[in-house]
Amino acid sequence: AQSVTQPDIHITVSEGASLELRCNYSYGATPYLFWYVQSPGQGLQLLLKYFSGDTLVQGIKGFEAEFKRSQSSFNLRKPSVHWSDAAEYFCAVGAVKAAGNKLTFGGGTRVLVKP
Amino acid sequence: DTGVSQDPRHKITKRGQNVTFRCDPISEHNRLYWYRQTLGQGPEFLTYFQNEAQLEKSRLLSDRFSAERPKGSFSTLEIQRTEQGDSAMYLCASSLRDRGRVKGNEQFFGPGTRLTVL
């Protein structure tokens, strides 16, 4: 069974500082990997995704993530955080060949941005 | 707006009542998913449809829950005899299953229906 772990429940970062959110997954084959962001009371917005190829993927809002197969990780980074980045971030894994390709999400990391 | 829409956005009900939620996916999407998100947790898969066929149901979906997608377009999720433990955000997502190209199961989510059971 696939699973996702986001070790950090909360992260506080100063505006302008860099941000890194950790994600570790467990899946027996080639995964699809995603990062979503959720603002309070809102649905999920896709930031970026990894299917294959270049292990460093660029997303929206200046985010990037690096897939490291040897570490089963897909960490999200942003060089300089803006106050509007305060939200909850979810890492998710989807099976490449399983029927339906349902997503399995981590527990989320809530990011607080200090002025 | 051509995104996924859900109705209602909020529902407050008393324990034991039945509730029904609606999801309208992106028009050309043939797959539709339901997820449940409880406070402080990530979304959990409930069920999904490909066109009108319900192809998978999670064990989280007790016999009080039923979902339909009768014409392969919008979907409804009904909860009978609601319990306080059903209080959660119910998220709908849709995607396009395209055999010709790798779409990577990019799912587009709606804003969710927040259910509160008193």
Side-chain angles (χ1 to χ4, degrees), chain A residues 39-102:
Chain A
S39 298
Q42 301 299 312
L44 298 166
Q45 181 184 21
L46 181 67
L47 287 175
L48 47 78
K49 58 192 181 234
Y50 171 78
F51 303 147
S52 63
D54 193 347
T55 56
L56 185 64
V57 294
Q58 302 297 320
I60 63 171
K61 304 185 179 184
F63 285 93
E64 65 177 26
E66 186 172 11
F67 171 59
K68 292 185 177 180
R69 185 185 299 275
S70 61
Q71 298 178 19
S72 298
S73 69
F74 189 56
N75 293 349
L76 182 71
R77 298 192 292 258
K78 185 169 184 176
S80 177
V81 170
H82 187 261
W83 64 265
S84 60
D85 294 322
E88 187 143 25
Y89 292 79
F90 293 95
C91 181
V93 62
V96 169
K97 294 191 175 182
N101 292 328
K102 64 187 179 188

Short mmCIF file of all heavy atoms in Angstrom, two decimals, chain A residues 39-102:
data_model
loop_
_atom_site.label_atom_id
_atom_site.label_comp_id
_atom_site.label_asym_id
_atom_site.label_seq_id
_atom_site.Cartn_x
_atom_site.Cartn_y
_atom_site.Cartn_z
N SER A 39 -5.46 26.90 1.00
CA SER A 39 -5.67 28.07 1.84
C SER A 39 -6.91 27.83 2.70
O SER A 39 -7.75 27.01 2.34
CB SER A 39 -5.83 29.32 0.98
OG SER A 39 -4.65 29.55 0.24
N PRO A 40 -7.04 28.54 3.82
CA PRO A 40 -8.15 28.29 4.74
C PRO A 40 -9.51 28.30 4.06
O PRO A 40 -9.84 29.23 3.33
CB PRO A 40 -8.02 29.44 5.75
CG PRO A 40 -6.58 29.78 5.73
CD PRO A 40 -6.12 29.57 4.32
N GLY A 41 -10.26 27.23 4.27
CA GLY A 41 -11.61 27.14 3.73
C GLY A 41 -11.67 26.88 2.24
O GLY A 41 -12.76 26.91 1.66
N GLN A 42 -10.55 26.62 1.64
CA GLN A 42 -10.50 26.43 0.19
C GLN A 42 -10.18 24.99 -0.19
O GLN A 42 -9.75 24.19 0.63
CB GLN A 42 -9.44 27.35 -0.42
CG GLN A 42 -9.67 28.82 -0.15
CD GLN A 42 -10.99 29.31 -0.72
OE1 GLN A 42 -11.31 29.05 -1.88
NE2 GLN A 42 -11.77 29.99 0.10
N GLY A 43 -10.37 24.70 -1.47
CA GLY A 43 -9.97 23.40 -1.98
C GLY A 43 -8.48 23.35 -2.22
O GLY A 43 -7.73 24.24 -1.80
N LEU A 44 -8.04 22.34 -2.89
CA LEU A 44 -6.62 22.12 -3.12
C LEU A 44 -6.21 22.64 -4.49
O LEU A 44 -6.89 22.39 -5.48
CB LEU A 44 -6.32 20.63 -3.04
CG LEU A 44 -6.61 19.96 -1.70
CD1 LEU A 44 -6.61 18.46 -1.83
CD2 LEU A 44 -5.58 20.41 -0.68
N GLN A 45 -5.07 23.33 -4.51
CA GLN A 45 -4.52 23.83 -5.77
C GLN A 45 -3.21 23.11 -6.04
O GLN A 45 -2.34 23.05 -5.16
CB GLN A 45 -4.31 25.34 -5.72
CG GLN A 45 -3.77 25.92 -7.01
CD GLN A 45 -3.48 27.41 -6.91
OE1 GLN A 45 -3.30 27.97 -5.83
NE2 GLN A 45 -3.43 28.07 -8.06
N LEU A 46 -3.06 22.60 -7.25
CA LEU A 46 -1.84 21.89 -7.61
C LEU A 46 -0.69 22.88 -7.79
O LEU A 46 -0.79 23.83 -8.56
CB LEU A 46 -2.06 21.10 -8.89
CG LEU A 46 -0.87 20.29 -9.39
CD1 LEU A 46 -0.57 19.14 -8.42
CD2 LEU A 46 -1.14 19.73 -10.79
N LEU A 47 0.41 22.63 -7.07
CA LEU A 47 1.61 23.44 -7.22
C LEU A 47 2.54 22.88 -8.29
O LEU A 47 3.08 23.63 -9.11
CB LEU A 47 2.39 23.51 -5.91
CG LEU A 47 1.81 24.37 -4.79
CD1 LEU A 47 2.64 24.21 -3.53
CD2 LEU A 47 1.73 25.83 -5.19
N LEU A 48 2.74 21.57 -8.24
CA LEU A 48 3.62 20.93 -9.21
C LEU A 48 3.43 19.43 -9.15
O LEU A 48 2.80 18.91 -8.22
CB LEU A 48 5.10 21.30 -8.97
CG LEU A 48 5.64 21.21 -7.54
CD1 LEU A 48 5.94 19.79 -7.13
CD2 LEU A 48 6.92 22.06 -7.42
N LYS A 49 4.00 18.74 -10.15
CA LYS A 49 3.84 17.29 -10.23
C LYS A 49 5.09 16.68 -10.85
O LYS A 49 5.80 17.33 -11.63
CB LYS A 49 2.62 16.94 -11.06
CG LYS A 49 2.67 17.49 -12.48
CD LYS A 49 1.33 17.38 -13.17
CE LYS A 49 1.45 17.93 -14.60
NZ LYS A 49 0.46 18.96 -14.88
N TYR A 50 5.34 15.44 -10.51
CA TYR A 50 6.44 14.68 -11.09
C TYR A 50 5.89 13.37 -11.65
O TYR A 50 5.23 12.61 -10.94
CB TYR A 50 7.53 14.38 -10.06
CG TYR A 50 8.57 13.42 -10.59
CD1 TYR A 50 9.56 13.86 -11.45
CD2 TYR A 50 8.52 12.07 -10.27
CE1 TYR A 50 10.49 12.98 -11.97
CE2 TYR A 50 9.44 11.19 -10.78
CZ TYR A 50 10.42 11.64 -11.63
OH TYR A 50 11.35 10.77 -12.15
N PHE A 51 6.21 13.12 -12.92
CA PHE A 51 5.83 11.83 -13.52
C PHE A 51 7.08 11.04 -13.86
O PHE A 51 7.17 9.86 -13.55
CB PHE A 51 5.03 12.05 -14.82
CG PHE A 51 3.80 12.86 -14.64
CD1 PHE A 51 3.34 13.70 -15.64
CD2 PHE A 51 3.08 12.82 -13.46
CE1 PHE A 51 2.20 14.46 -15.47
CE2 PHE A 51 1.94 13.57 -13.28
CZ PHE A 51 1.49 14.40 -14.30
N SER A 52 8.01 11.66 -14.55
CA SER A 52 9.23 11.00 -14.98
C SER A 52 10.17 12.07 -15.52
O SER A 52 9.81 13.25 -15.58
CB SER A 52 8.94 9.96 -16.08
OG SER A 52 8.42 10.61 -17.23
N GLY A 53 11.38 11.66 -15.88
CA GLY A 53 12.31 12.60 -16.50
C GLY A 53 13.08 13.40 -15.46
O GLY A 53 13.48 12.87 -14.41
N ASP A 54 13.27 14.66 -15.74
CA ASP A 54 14.06 15.53 -14.88
C ASP A 54 13.53 15.48 -13.45
O ASP A 54 12.34 15.70 -13.21
CB ASP A 54 14.00 16.97 -15.41
CG ASP A 54 15.03 17.88 -14.75
OD1 ASP A 54 15.62 17.46 -13.73
OD2 ASP A 54 15.24 18.99 -15.25
N THR A 55 14.42 15.21 -12.52
CA THR A 55 13.98 15.03 -11.14
C THR A 55 13.74 16.34 -10.41
O THR A 55 13.21 16.35 -9.31
CB THR A 55 15.02 14.21 -10.35
OG1 THR A 55 16.29 14.86 -10.45
CG2 THR A 55 15.13 12.80 -10.93
N LEU A 56 14.13 17.44 -10.99
CA LEU A 56 13.84 18.76 -10.42
C LEU A 56 12.70 19.37 -11.24
O LEU A 56 12.85 19.63 -12.43
CB LEU A 56 15.07 19.65 -10.47
CG LEU A 56 14.93 21.02 -9.80
CD1 LEU A 56 14.69 20.86 -8.30
CD2 LEU A 56 16.19 21.86 -10.04
N VAL A 57 11.57 19.57 -10.58
CA VAL A 57 10.40 20.07 -11.30
C VAL A 57 10.04 21.46 -10.80
O VAL A 57 10.16 21.76 -9.61
CB VAL A 57 9.20 19.12 -11.15
CG1 VAL A 57 9.47 17.82 -11.84
CG2 VAL A 57 8.84 18.88 -9.71
N GLN A 58 9.64 22.28 -11.71
CA GLN A 58 9.24 23.65 -11.39
C GLN A 58 7.72 23.72 -11.35
O GLN A 58 7.03 23.06 -12.13
CB GLN A 58 9.78 24.62 -12.45
CG GLN A 58 11.29 24.58 -12.61
CD GLN A 58 12.02 25.01 -11.36
OE1 GLN A 58 11.61 25.94 -10.67
NE2 GLN A 58 13.12 24.31 -11.03
N GLY A 59 7.23 24.53 -10.44
CA GLY A 59 5.80 24.68 -10.33
C GLY A 59 5.38 26.13 -10.38
O GLY A 59 6.15 27.00 -10.75
N ILE A 60 4.16 26.35 -9.95
CA ILE A 60 3.64 27.72 -9.92
C ILE A 60 4.09 28.43 -8.65
O ILE A 60 4.58 27.79 -7.71
CB ILE A 60 2.10 27.72 -10.02
CG1 ILE A 60 1.47 27.01 -8.82
CG2 ILE A 60 1.65 27.09 -11.33
CD1 ILE A 60 -0.03 27.15 -8.74
N LYS A 61 3.95 29.74 -8.65
CA LYS A 61 4.23 30.57 -7.49
C LYS A 61 5.68 30.47 -7.03
O LYS A 61 5.98 30.72 -5.87
CB LYS A 61 3.30 30.23 -6.31
CG LYS A 61 1.83 30.32 -6.65
CD LYS A 61 0.97 30.09 -5.41
CE LYS A 61 -0.50 30.21 -5.76
NZ LYS A 61 -1.37 30.09 -4.57
N GLY A 62 6.60 30.10 -7.92
CA GLY A 62 8.01 30.06 -7.58
C GLY A 62 8.47 28.82 -6.83
O GLY A 62 9.59 28.78 -6.31
N PHE A 63 7.62 27.82 -6.71
CA PHE A 63 7.98 26.59 -6.01
C PHE A 63 8.68 25.61 -6.94
O PHE A 63 8.44 25.59 -8.15
CB PHE A 63 6.72 25.92 -5.43
CG PHE A 63 6.18 26.60 -4.21
CD1 PHE A 63 5.20 27.57 -4.32
CD2 PHE A 63 6.66 26.26 -2.95
CE1 PHE A 63 4.70 28.20 -3.19
CE2 PHE A 63 6.17 26.89 -1.82
CZ PHE A 63 5.20 27.87 -1.93
N GLU A 64 9.53 24.79 -6.35
CA GLU A 64 10.15 23.69 -7.06
C GLU A 64 10.24 22.50 -6.11
O GLU A 64 10.15 22.65 -4.89
CB GLU A 64 11.55 24.05 -7.56
CG GLU A 64 12.56 24.31 -6.46
CD GLU A 64 13.95 24.60 -7.02
OE1 GLU A 64 14.06 25.08 -8.17
OE2 GLU A 64 14.92 24.35 -6.29
N ALA A 65 10.40 21.31 -6.68
CA ALA A 65 10.53 20.11 -5.87
C ALA A 65 11.51 19.18 -6.54
O ALA A 65 11.64 19.16 -7.77
CB ALA A 65 9.19 19.42 -5.67
N GLU A 66 12.21 18.40 -5.74
CA GLU A 66 13.19 17.46 -6.25
C GLU A 66 12.83 16.04 -5.85
O GLU A 66 12.64 15.75 -4.67
CB GLU A 66 14.59 17.81 -5.74
CG GLU A 66 15.68 16.95 -6.38
CD GLU A 66 17.07 17.41 -6.04
OE1 GLU A 66 17.22 18.26 -5.14
OE2 GLU A 66 18.02 16.91 -6.69
N PHE A 67 12.74 15.17 -6.83
CA PHE A 67 12.47 13.75 -6.61
C PHE A 67 13.79 13.03 -6.40
O PHE A 67 14.69 13.10 -7.24
CB PHE A 67 11.73 13.17 -7.81
CG PHE A 67 11.59 11.67 -7.79
CD1 PHE A 67 10.94 11.04 -6.73
CD2 PHE A 67 12.09 10.89 -8.82
CE1 PHE A 67 10.79 9.66 -6.72
CE2 PHE A 67 11.94 9.52 -8.82
CZ PHE A 67 11.30 8.89 -7.75
N LYS A 68 13.90 12.35 -5.26
CA LYS A 68 15.09 11.55 -4.98
C LYS A 68 14.64 10.12 -4.72
O LYS A 68 14.16 9.80 -3.62
CB LYS A 68 15.85 12.12 -3.78
CG LYS A 68 16.49 13.48 -4.05
CD LYS A 68 17.34 13.93 -2.87
CE LYS A 68 18.03 15.26 -3.19
NZ LYS A 68 18.86 15.74 -2.06
N ARG A 69 14.81 9.28 -5.72
CA ARG A 69 14.33 7.91 -5.62
C ARG A 69 15.04 7.16 -4.49
O ARG A 69 14.41 6.42 -3.75
CB ARG A 69 14.55 7.18 -6.94
CG ARG A 69 13.98 5.76 -6.97
CD ARG A 69 14.34 5.05 -8.26
NE ARG A 69 13.79 5.74 -9.42
CZ ARG A 69 12.56 5.56 -9.86
NH1 ARG A 69 11.74 4.73 -9.26
NH2 ARG A 69 12.14 6.21 -10.94
N SER A 70 16.34 7.39 -4.34
CA SER A 70 17.12 6.65 -3.33
C SER A 70 16.66 6.98 -1.92
O SER A 70 16.83 6.17 -1.00
CB SER A 70 18.61 6.98 -3.48
OG SER A 70 18.82 8.36 -3.26
N GLN A 71 16.10 8.15 -1.74
CA GLN A 71 15.63 8.56 -0.42
C GLN A 71 14.11 8.52 -0.30
O GLN A 71 13.57 8.86 0.75
CB GLN A 71 16.12 9.98 -0.11
CG GLN A 71 17.64 10.10 -0.06
CD GLN A 71 18.11 11.52 0.18
OE1 GLN A 71 17.36 12.36 0.65
NE2 GLN A 71 19.36 11.80 -0.14
N SER A 72 13.43 8.12 -1.37
CA SER A 72 11.96 8.11 -1.39
C SER A 72 11.42 9.45 -0.91
O SER A 72 10.52 9.52 -0.08
CB SER A 72 11.40 6.97 -0.52
OG SER A 72 11.81 5.73 -1.02
N SER A 73 12.01 10.51 -1.46
CA SER A 73 11.59 11.84 -1.02
C SER A 73 11.21 12.72 -2.19
O SER A 73 11.63 12.50 -3.32
CB SER A 73 12.71 12.52 -0.21
OG SER A 73 13.80 12.85 -1.05
N PHE A 74 10.42 13.71 -1.87
CA PHE A 74 9.96 14.68 -2.88
C PHE A 74 9.75 16.00 -2.12
O PHE A 74 8.64 16.41 -1.85
CB PHE A 74 8.68 14.19 -3.53
CG PHE A 74 8.23 15.01 -4.72
CD1 PHE A 74 9.06 15.22 -5.81
CD2 PHE A 74 6.93 15.54 -4.77
CE1 PHE A 74 8.64 15.95 -6.91
CE2 PHE A 74 6.50 16.28 -5.88
CZ PHE A 74 7.35 16.48 -6.94
N ASN A 75 10.84 16.65 -1.78
CA ASN A 75 10.78 17.85 -0.95
C ASN A 75 10.47 19.09 -1.78
O ASN A 75 10.95 19.26 -2.90
CB ASN A 75 12.10 18.05 -0.21
CG ASN A 75 12.34 16.96 0.81
OD1 ASN A 75 11.46 16.17 1.12
ND2 ASN A 75 13.56 16.91 1.32
N LEU A 76 9.69 19.96 -1.20
CA LEU A 76 9.25 21.20 -1.85
C LEU A 76 10.09 22.36 -1.34
O LEU A 76 10.35 22.46 -0.14
CB LEU A 76 7.78 21.45 -1.52
CG LEU A 76 7.11 22.67 -2.14
CD1 LEU A 76 6.90 22.47 -3.64
CD2 LEU A 76 5.77 22.95 -1.46
N ARG A 77 10.48 23.25 -2.25
CA ARG A 77 11.31 24.39 -1.86
C ARG A 77 10.82 25.67 -2.51
O ARG A 77 10.23 25.65 -3.60
CB ARG A 77 12.77 24.16 -2.26
CG ARG A 77 13.43 22.97 -1.59
CD ARG A 77 14.92 23.01 -1.83
NE ARG A 77 15.26 22.77 -3.23
CZ ARG A 77 15.71 21.61 -3.70
NH1 ARG A 77 15.83 20.60 -2.88
NH2 ARG A 77 16.04 21.49 -4.97
N LYS A 78 11.10 26.77 -1.80
CA LYS A 78 10.91 28.09 -2.38
C LYS A 78 12.01 28.99 -1.86
O LYS A 78 12.24 29.03 -0.64
CB LYS A 78 9.54 28.65 -2.03
CG LYS A 78 9.26 29.99 -2.72
CD LYS A 78 7.81 30.42 -2.59
CE LYS A 78 7.58 31.71 -3.38
NZ LYS A 78 6.15 32.14 -3.38
N PRO A 79 12.71 29.69 -2.73
CA PRO A 79 13.88 30.47 -2.30
C PRO A 79 13.52 31.65 -1.39
O PRO A 79 14.28 31.98 -0.48
CB PRO A 79 14.49 30.97 -3.61
CG PRO A 79 13.89 30.15 -4.67
CD PRO A 79 12.55 29.70 -4.19
N SER A 80 12.38 32.28 -1.65
CA SER A 80 12.03 33.48 -0.89
C SER A 80 10.52 33.49 -0.67
O SER A 80 9.74 33.63 -1.62
CB SER A 80 12.48 34.73 -1.64
OG SER A 80 12.08 35.90 -0.94
N VAL A 81 10.12 33.37 0.57
CA VAL A 81 8.70 33.22 0.91
C VAL A 81 8.01 34.58 0.98
O VAL A 81 8.56 35.55 1.49
CB VAL A 81 8.57 32.47 2.25
CG1 VAL A 81 7.15 32.52 2.75
CG2 VAL A 81 9.00 31.02 2.08
N HIS A 82 6.79 34.61 0.48
CA HIS A 82 5.94 35.80 0.55
C HIS A 82 4.84 35.54 1.58
O HIS A 82 4.49 34.39 1.84
CB HIS A 82 5.33 36.05 -0.84
CG HIS A 82 4.58 37.33 -0.98
ND1 HIS A 82 3.20 37.39 -0.88
CD2 HIS A 82 5.01 38.60 -1.19
CE1 HIS A 82 2.81 38.63 -1.05
NE2 HIS A 82 3.87 39.39 -1.22
N TRP A 83 4.30 36.62 2.14
CA TRP A 83 3.27 36.44 3.17
C TRP A 83 2.09 35.63 2.64
O TRP A 83 1.44 34.87 3.38
CB TRP A 83 2.77 37.80 3.69
CG TRP A 83 2.07 38.64 2.65
CD1 TRP A 83 2.61 39.61 1.88
CD2 TRP A 83 0.69 38.55 2.27
NE1 TRP A 83 1.67 40.13 1.04
CE2 TRP A 83 0.48 39.52 1.26
CE3 TRP A 83 -0.39 37.77 2.69
CZ2 TRP A 83 -0.77 39.71 0.67
CZ3 TRP A 83 -1.63 37.97 2.09
CH2 TRP A 83 -1.80 38.92 1.09
N SER A 84 1.83 35.72 1.33
CA SER A 84 0.70 34.99 0.75
C SER A 84 0.95 33.49 0.65
O SER A 84 0.04 32.73 0.30
CB SER A 84 0.39 35.54 -0.64
OG SER A 84 1.50 35.39 -1.50
N ASP A 85 2.15 33.04 0.97
CA ASP A 85 2.44 31.60 0.96
C ASP A 85 1.98 30.91 2.24
O ASP A 85 2.08 29.68 2.35
CB ASP A 85 3.94 31.37 0.78
CG ASP A 85 4.43 31.82 -0.60
OD1 ASP A 85 3.68 31.63 -1.58
OD2 ASP A 85 5.56 32.37 -0.67
N ALA A 86 1.48 31.66 3.19
CA ALA A 86 0.95 31.05 4.41
C ALA A 86 -0.27 30.21 4.06
O ALA A 86 -1.26 30.72 3.54
CB ALA A 86 0.58 32.13 5.42
N ALA A 87 -0.18 28.92 4.30
CA ALA A 87 -1.23 27.98 3.90
C ALA A 87 -0.84 26.60 4.40
O ALA A 87 0.16 26.44 5.09
CB ALA A 87 -1.38 27.96 2.38
N GLU A 88 -1.64 25.61 4.03
CA GLU A 88 -1.28 24.23 4.34
C GLU A 88 -0.87 23.54 3.05
O GLU A 88 -1.52 23.72 2.00
CB GLU A 88 -2.44 23.48 5.00
CG GLU A 88 -2.05 22.11 5.50
CD GLU A 88 -2.74 21.74 6.80
OE1 GLU A 88 -3.82 22.29 7.07
OE2 GLU A 88 -2.20 20.88 7.53
N TYR A 89 0.19 22.76 3.14
CA TYR A 89 0.76 22.12 1.96
C TYR A 89 0.68 20.61 2.12
O TYR A 89 1.02 20.05 3.17
CB TYR A 89 2.22 22.56 1.78
CG TYR A 89 2.35 24.01 1.42
CD1 TYR A 89 2.23 24.99 2.42
CD2 TYR A 89 2.54 24.42 0.11
CE1 TYR A 89 2.31 26.34 2.09
CE2 TYR A 89 2.62 25.77 -0.22
CZ TYR A 89 2.50 26.72 0.78
OH TYR A 89 2.58 28.05 0.45
N PHE A 90 0.22 19.96 1.05
CA PHE A 90 0.05 18.51 1.07
C PHE A 90 0.86 17.87 -0.05
O PHE A 90 0.78 18.29 -1.21
CB PHE A 90 -1.43 18.14 0.89
CG PHE A 90 -2.30 18.54 2.04
CD1 PHE A 90 -3.00 19.73 2.01
CD2 PHE A 90 -2.42 17.73 3.15
CE1 PHE A 90 -3.81 20.12 3.07
CE2 PHE A 90 -3.23 18.10 4.22
CZ PHE A 90 -3.92 19.30 4.18
N CYS A 91 1.57 16.85 0.32
CA CYS A 91 2.26 16.01 -0.64
C CYS A 91 1.37 14.80 -0.91
O CYS A 91 0.69 14.31 0.01
CB CYS A 91 3.60 15.56 -0.04
SG CYS A 91 4.61 14.52 -1.10
N ALA A 92 1.36 14.32 -2.14
CA ALA A 92 0.51 13.19 -2.47
C ALA A 92 1.21 12.28 -3.47
O ALA A 92 2.03 12.73 -4.28
CB ALA A 92 -0.82 13.67 -3.06
N VAL A 93 0.88 11.01 -3.39
CA VAL A 93 1.41 10.03 -4.32
C VAL A 93 0.26 9.35 -5.03
O VAL A 93 -0.79 9.08 -4.44
CB VAL A 93 2.30 9.00 -3.59
CG1 VAL A 93 1.51 8.20 -2.55
CG2 VAL A 93 2.94 8.04 -4.58
N GLY A 94 0.43 9.15 -6.32
CA GLY A 94 -0.56 8.44 -7.12
C GLY A 94 0.12 7.29 -7.83
O GLY A 94 1.27 7.39 -8.25
N ALA A 95 -0.58 6.18 -7.94
CA ALA A 95 0.00 5.02 -8.59
C ALA A 95 0.01 5.20 -10.09
O ALA A 95 -0.95 5.67 -10.67
CB ALA A 95 -0.81 3.78 -8.22
N VAL A 96 1.12 4.79 -10.72
CA VAL A 96 1.25 4.98 -12.16
C VAL A 96 0.28 4.10 -12.91
O VAL A 96 -0.39 4.52 -13.85
CB VAL A 96 2.69 4.69 -12.61
CG1 VAL A 96 2.78 4.63 -14.12
CG2 VAL A 96 3.62 5.76 -12.07
N LYS A 97 0.19 2.84 -12.49
CA LYS A 97 -0.57 1.92 -13.30
C LYS A 97 -1.80 1.34 -12.62
O LYS A 97 -2.52 0.56 -13.20
CB LYS A 97 0.34 0.78 -13.76
CG LYS A 97 1.44 1.24 -14.69
CD LYS A 97 2.15 0.08 -15.34
CE LYS A 97 3.15 0.62 -16.37
NZ LYS A 97 3.84 -0.47 -17.07
N ALA A 98 -2.03 1.74 -11.40
CA ALA A 98 -3.22 1.21 -10.73
C ALA A 98 -4.46 1.83 -11.33
O ALA A 98 -4.47 3.00 -11.70
CB ALA A 98 -3.15 1.50 -9.24
N ALA A 99 -5.49 1.06 -11.37
CA ALA A 99 -6.75 1.57 -11.89
C ALA A 99 -7.23 2.73 -11.04
O ALA A 99 -7.22 2.66 -9.83
CB ALA A 99 -7.79 0.45 -11.88
N GLY A 100 -7.62 3.79 -11.69
CA GLY A 100 -8.19 4.92 -10.97
C GLY A 100 -7.17 5.93 -10.53
O GLY A 100 -7.50 7.10 -10.42
N ASN A 101 -5.94 5.50 -10.25
CA ASN A 101 -4.90 6.45 -9.85
C ASN A 101 -5.34 7.36 -8.72
O ASN A 101 -5.13 8.56 -8.75
CB ASN A 101 -4.47 7.29 -11.05
CG ASN A 101 -3.74 6.44 -12.07
OD1 ASN A 101 -3.06 5.50 -11.72
ND2 ASN A 101 -3.91 6.77 -13.32
N LYS A 102 -5.98 6.77 -7.70
CA LYS A 102 -6.37 7.59 -6.56
C LYS A 102 -5.12 8.14 -5.89
O LYS A 102 -4.04 7.56 -5.97
CB LYS A 102 -7.15 6.73 -5.57
CG LYS A 102 -6.33 5.61 -4.96
CD LYS A 102 -7.18 4.69 -4.13
CE LYS A 102 -6.33 3.57 -3.55
NZ LYS A 102 -7.15 2.54 -2.87
#
